[in-house]
Amino acid sequence: MSMPAQASGSTTAPDDIEDRLRRFATIWSRAIFPVTATSMTRTEFEQHLLPSARRLSDALHERPFDPAPAHGVGAALVAAHCTDPDALSRTLGVVDSYLVLYCGGGSDALCAEELRARCARLQHALAAGFAQALRERTLAEQEAIARSSLAARSFAEQALHDTETRFRAVFEGAAIGIGVADLDGNVLEVNDTLTRMFGGLEHHVRGRKVSEWVHPEDAPHVWKLYAELVRGEREHYRVEKPYYRNDGTVLWTNLAVSLLRDAEGRPQYQLVLIEDTTERRLLNLRLRYEATHDALTGLPNRTLFFERLEKALTAGDGSRFGLCYLDIDGFKAINDSLGHSAGDRLLVEVADRLQSCATAPGEMVARLGGDEFVALTTGPDTEGEVDELAHRILAALATPIRLDGRELTVRGSVGIVEGPAGERGSAEVLRSADITMYRAKSAGGNRFERADPEADARAITRHSLTTALPAALERGEFFIEYQPLVHLDDGSVYGAEALVRWCHPQHGVLGPDQFIPLAEHTGLIVPLGRWVLQEAVRQARFWQEQPPRNAAGRPLRINVNLSPTQLHHPGLVTDIVDVLERSGLEPGALCLEVTESALIGADEDLLKPLRQLAEMGVDIALDDFGTGYSNLANLRRLPVSVLKLDRSFTQGMQQHPADPVDLKIVEGIVSLAHSLELAVTVEGVETGAQAEQLRELGCDTAQGWYYARPGAPDRIHSLVLADAV
């Protein structure tokens, strides 16, 4: 049988969805048709199962998720005479193996782990529906039989011998336990099935009083219903009730009790029908366990954790909670180097250690997925207890773990959220813990941090900006400001640097430091950088077409920043050549600024596109020079023509007298650059004294607030006009 190929989050055509649904129904019908008492052909039976298959598929993707439709599917199986014990087990097997496989695709983008969790809960609901329908069918049939049998028994002295024989056959051969008691609760008659349920000895059942079978887990209303029945106020009732057997084990039953009246309508006997549901209850408990526990580590999973967290957050009476969100540092490297099997064993060991840390009342540990774990503590004093819990967690991880003869040191980052119950929802708490955990990881890991509302707000803002970036580019929310580049010898405008800004609808104008790192992280920096290049080159070409030029009569040049991601993009050179050709701008009028940190340790593959651009005549500037750790001798191998000194070197020149150390450093860098035939541009010039000092040191060009702040392109044009005058 061919298997469907479907990717998580892919969109599936309606015809393909229907075809997968029919294939699932075919597999299902083949599995249970042999054990189904039906007059339908297999093809007809398959068509009969198709609506139930569709209900399971729809329930798998329903938002919010509700397993109730699967309960109806279980009842539908019983209605279709699929009552053989194998029918349920085969159905659960088919749903477990094939429901997600054939019906898990779609546009709702549910992850595989969520689909498997939903599938487990659907199995649980289906089994419950099957069991309930089978029980109700059996009880209805047997109760009717038992009623008629007991009615016949009340007239036994006047009935024929064959009537007594038929009654006995039904009473003794019934598949469920049947008993008769008087209104005082004395057990008068039981069949063999009921005797076997309680251990097989009749005297352990007959002669006892009904009131002796009290169990601690009896529902509060059970004995109230019983009292109403023996008083004649109720004709019957049904409950789920546990009993103790003589060996101490627990018998779980579905109990149906009916009141039998005499010919005058007076209450006379109780008729008890008992169905043994112990195995079905164990099955339900197993399904519940599988649906709420992690298959690898045995810890509670996300589903059970959220149930406990919701309960903790809605508790009253001054209750508090503390949450530790743990992520293993460097787990991906372990998985990649040692394999997923070793990674799984590491997670099991980590889970065992975490369980040993949370043994006090009100504490629990759960695995959310991957290498992420949570520990929850509740009570009135969690403010201090949660810090102690985090310390215990980090201490437990400190001991190396041996895997395949290796000792692995495991470190973790923990985010802590603590507070009173009733103020926040579970999603908000977990989000805050997640943000705090990543703050601990950013601080070096192997530590814990407490949640900070301001830090949370900044992280949420970063996330909202990240998600808004693609649409912002499409809507034209970005614009460019230009800061002039000035010759230090005569103060004339030499060119301008293009600086991108974001006019955000809610946050106003944002500088590049607030969104460029986000664009780098998401990969949007490539289309954004291409747009900046196009706009800047178009503006430079516009300036060229205007009469004024700089003092030297040369056209203004434009400086555009390149990010590290753009440097690695295979279409960099092609994009730049295309932009220049479309605009008509000469390559010599374009300067691309690359940060020093981006070129530290750069190999020839990375330098090749820069060399190609330099050979075309495009200037390459090494931006923020002096902030990295590059060897000055490496400048000879880089295809750069301009050094841009970082503003940190010139800040000491704003004071009087200027810092002599800064003067010596700048003088040495300028001398070295000129010996390598590199021009030197200085950033962050803010005073006239600073500009004069840099001119005396031999710097070529400068930019900064002393000359002009970044602004609209027409301001550059005005400055050029002023120079010309």
Side-chain angles (χ1 to χ4, degrees), residues 28-44:
W28 190 6
S29 67
R30 288 177 179 171
I32 66 173
F33 182 79
V35 295
T36 301
T38 177
S39 60
M40 290 185 285
T41 65
R42 200 193 64 77
T43 301
E44 292 171 340

Side-chain angles (χ1 to χ4, degrees), residues 330-399:
F331 179 72
K332 184 178 184 300
I334 296 174
N335 250 353
D336 293 343
S337 59
L338 301 182
H340 289 277
S341 176
D344 286 348
R345 282 180 282 147
L346 177 71
L347 292 175
V348 171
E349 177 62 27
V350 168
D352 290 343
R353 295 187 182 188
L354 293 180
Q355 275 192 304
S356 68
C357 297
T359 57
E363 294 182 345
M364 74 166 293
V365 174
R367 182 188 178 205
L368 296 185
D371 60 333
E372 295 182 344
F373 298 84
V374 285
L376 178 66
T377 180
T378 57
D381 303 315
T382 57
E383 194 166 2
E385 292 172 353
V386 70
D387 285 352
E388 296 176 5
L389 179 58
H391 278 298
R392 293 200 301 271
I393 289 173
L394 294 178
L397 296 179
T399 304

Side-chain angles (χ1 to χ4, degrees), residues 110-138:
L110 290 173
C111 66
E113 182 178 354
E114 176 65 13
L115 288 171
R116 294 304 308 171
R118 288 186 171 197
C119 182
R121 293 183 64 185
L122 289 174
Q123 294 176 62
H124 174 83
L126 190 150
F130 182 93
Q132 181 178 343
L134 184 60
R135 180 182 70 247
E136 291 176 353
R137 172 174 167 171
T138 303

Side-chain angles (χ1 to χ4, degrees), residues 194-250:
L194 185 59
T195 302
R196 288 193 298 270
M197 288 182 187
F198 282 89
L201 298 176
E202 186 174 344
H203 66 275
H204 287 163
V205 182
R206 190 194 296 271
R208 295 185 63 180
K209 281 188 172 289
V210 172
S211 58
E212 296 177 17
W213 277 309
V214 177
H215 191 278
E217 294 188 48
D218 282 340
H221 64 286
V222 168
W223 294 103
K224 178 176 179 292
L225 294 175
Y226 174 77
E228 292 175 355
L229 183 132
V230 297
R231 290 196 302 266
E233 299 170 2
R234 176 180 294 274
E235 294 300 316
H236 58 82
Y237 66 88
R238 290 185 181 182
V239 293
E240 184 180 33
K241 177 171 172 32
Y243 294 92
Y244 280 122
R245 296 189 179 99
N246 289 325
D247 60 2
T249 60
V250 177

Side-chain angles (χ1 to χ4, degrees), residues 137-157:
R137 172 174 167 171
T138 303
L139 286 175
E141 293 174 352
Q142 295 295 342
E143 184 174 355
I145 294 172
R147 279 179 174 274
S148 62
S149 299
L150 285 174
R153 186 170 182 269
S154 66
F155 300 99
E157 294 180 356

Side-chain angles (χ1 to χ4, degrees), residues 163-174:
T163 303
E164 174 68 21
T165 303
R166 285 196 300 272
F167 163 75
R168 278 295 165 188
V170 171
F171 185 79
E172 297 296 340

